[in-house]
Amino acid sequence: DLPAHGVLQTEREGFTELINFLLSAQDTEGARQWLNRDLAYHTENNGIIDLRHERQLNQAAARLRFLEGEDPTTTAAAFREALEPFYPRRGFDLLGEMLEAAGDFDGAIAAYTTFVEAPDLFAINADEGRVALVHFRLGELYEERGNIDNAILHYEKMIERWIDADDELQPQVQEARRRVDALLDQKARE
């Protein structure tokens, strides 16, 4: 039997993936529509929802509010509360972005570091590109803060991950190399 809005249980489980895809594409209108549809399903079923799915919906709702311009400190706190303890890496890259927007650079560095260092048995190869980008961002943040050694470390980790990347990604690799060389020159002068 289909619920009133015509969605089977197994189809509903894919809503979170679709919502996150729409959020990644910054389609806030589409994400809100599907988030509301998922919430309506739970309302129709007396609010029955498993904890993991509830966390995922709360993450999506916080991310949506962030993209719509709500206070980044508030959305980061809501997002952090919804992070799943069994997936130590998942979501920390997005939390880092929210904390950066809120001006909490130490918090952003901590979140980004968790993302790149925590093991994630459920990570997919597509995450590797994101890990490389987060290493680059960590390099930038450390460089801005004058922490040359950590900046070099993260730029080099980005280069290592993307050394054989597609041609369209090589300009970013070259930029990381340029930054490493400049930082090494600066370090030699000190």
Side-chain angles (χ1 to χ4, degrees):
D1 289 334
L2 290 175
H5 53 63
V7 179
L8 294 170
Q9 171 70 19
T10 55
E11 292 172 332
R12 182 196 55 79
E13 292 170 358
F15 283 3
T16 310
E17 305 304 324
L18 176 59
I19 294 164
N20 284 322
F21 173 78
L22 293 168
L23 289 169
S24 294
Q26 297 194 357
D27 180 356
T28 56
E29 185 177 319
R32 181 167 297 288
Q33 177 185 18
W34 282 97
L35 183 60
N36 287 338
R37 188 171 182 174
D38 201 348
L39 293 171
Y41 171 86
H42 297 295
T43 301
E44 291 173 8
N45 289 285
N46 300 317
I48 298 171
I49 182 171
D50 65 80
L51 180 60
R52 181 172 180 266
H53 191 69
E54 180 180 14
R55 286 179 181 276
Q56 291 173 339
L57 290 177
N58 287 338
Q59 284 178 29
R63 192 170 168 202
L64 176 62
R65 292 192 315 271
F66 173 74
L67 290 173
E68 291 177 334
E70 192 172 305
D71 175 53
T73 302
T74 304
T75 56
F79 191 85
R80 182 189 315 258
E81 188 174 311
L83 286 173
E84 298 179 61
F86 301 111
Y87 299 94
R89 181 162 124 191
R90 201 167 290 170
F92 277 89
D93 55 333
L94 302 172
L95 177 61
E97 290 175 12
M98 292 177 186
L99 292 168
E100 262 195 89
D104 180 0
F105 298 106
D106 290 335
I109 287 171
Y112 288 145
T113 300
T114 298
F115 179 73
V116 298
E117 291 182 357
D120 190 347
L121 301 175
F122 303 100
I124 56 173
N125 287 339
D127 291 343
E128 291 307 308
R130 183 69 177 152
V131 170
L133 291 172
V134 172
H135 274 299
F136 188 85
R137 185 62 190 134
L138 278 165
E140 290 177 317
L141 288 168
Y142 280 121
E143 184 177 357
E144 290 166 9
R145 298 170 88 68
N147 188 329
I148 294 172
D149 291 334
N150 274 330
I152 291 170
L153 172 76
H154 286 286
Y155 287 138
E156 287 178 340
K157 285 185 178 189
M158 183 271 190
I159 293 166
E160 183 180 307
R161 287 182 178 276
W162 276 11
I163 193 78
D164 296 321
D166 294 340
D167 290 342
E168 64 265 12
L169 301 175
Q170 289 306 312
Q172 186 125 9
V173 175
Q174 294 305 318
E175 176 61 17
R177 281 193 178 117
R178 186 194 67 72
R179 288 177 182 231
V180 167
D181 291 343
L183 290 169
L184 288 171
D185 286 345
Q186 179 183 340
K187 196 172 172 179
R189 288 190 305 268
E190 293 177 353

